Amino acid sequence: MKTIVTFGTFDLLHIGHVKLLKRASELVPNSKLIVGISSDSLNFSKKGHYPIYDFDERNEIISSIKYVYSTFKENSLEDKVAYLKEQNADILVMGDDWKGKFDYCKKELPNLEIVYLPRTELISTTETIIKIRS
Ligand code: CTP
């Protein structure tokens, strides 16, 4: 059974998130999808604000999705290779907003396949927050 790993914050779960998780889980038949969920402080360092839903809430929401086999907490962007090793990842899936940014992982993990999936258009957590605020 192949192990597919993806990473993200997944705050204010929206259709783009669900489609990404569905497509990742269906990349290879008979595989399991493991999701590295950003800690609250990692999200702060990436995006300059804390998530609306805290880690435990986001973890519970993502864990309840049928495409997701298991989750873990991602504390640092720099530790991708260590997380991928820990999870025995065969495939790393990221949205194409990260295109090319994780290719360096193949230096230490030459058998790792990296797939960048196209983002769903016209939706993001940030846009949703802006819409609600306005
Ligand atoms: N994603 C996607 N399509 C979207 C939004 C997100 O496929 N419209 C994917 C991202 O590429 C990533 C995962 O969902 O692989 C988690 O993304 P995240 O950054 O948590 O969501 P965003 O909506 O992009 O959040 P933000 O607006 O805060 O950047």
Side-chain angles (χ1 to χ4, degrees), residues 122 126-134:
L122 302 174
T126 305
E127 284 302 316
T128 304
I129 293 171
I130 291 169
K131 238 188 239 172
I132 292 169
R133 286 201 173 132
S134 67

Side-chain angles (χ1 to χ4, degrees), residues 11 39-45 47-53 129:
D11 192 21
S39 66
D40 297 336
S41 51
L42 175 57
N43 192 73
F44 185 84
S45 65
K47 304 191 182 183
H49 61 85
Y50 286 100
I52 304 284
Y53 296 154
I129 293 171

Side-chain angles (χ1 to χ4, degrees), residues 86-118:
E86 230 167 72
Q87 301 297 332
N88 285 316
D90 297 295
I91 305 174
L92 167 63
V93 170
M94 298 295 298
D96 64 1
D97 41 331
W98 294 96
K99 196 162 187 140
K101 295 217 174 85
F102 294 105
D103 292 358
Y104 73 88
C105 294
K106 286 184 74 73
K107 278 189 201 147
E108 278 196 60
L109 298 167
N111 294 327
L112 180 75
E113 192 184 329
I114 305 181
V115 177
Y116 298 98
L117 291 177

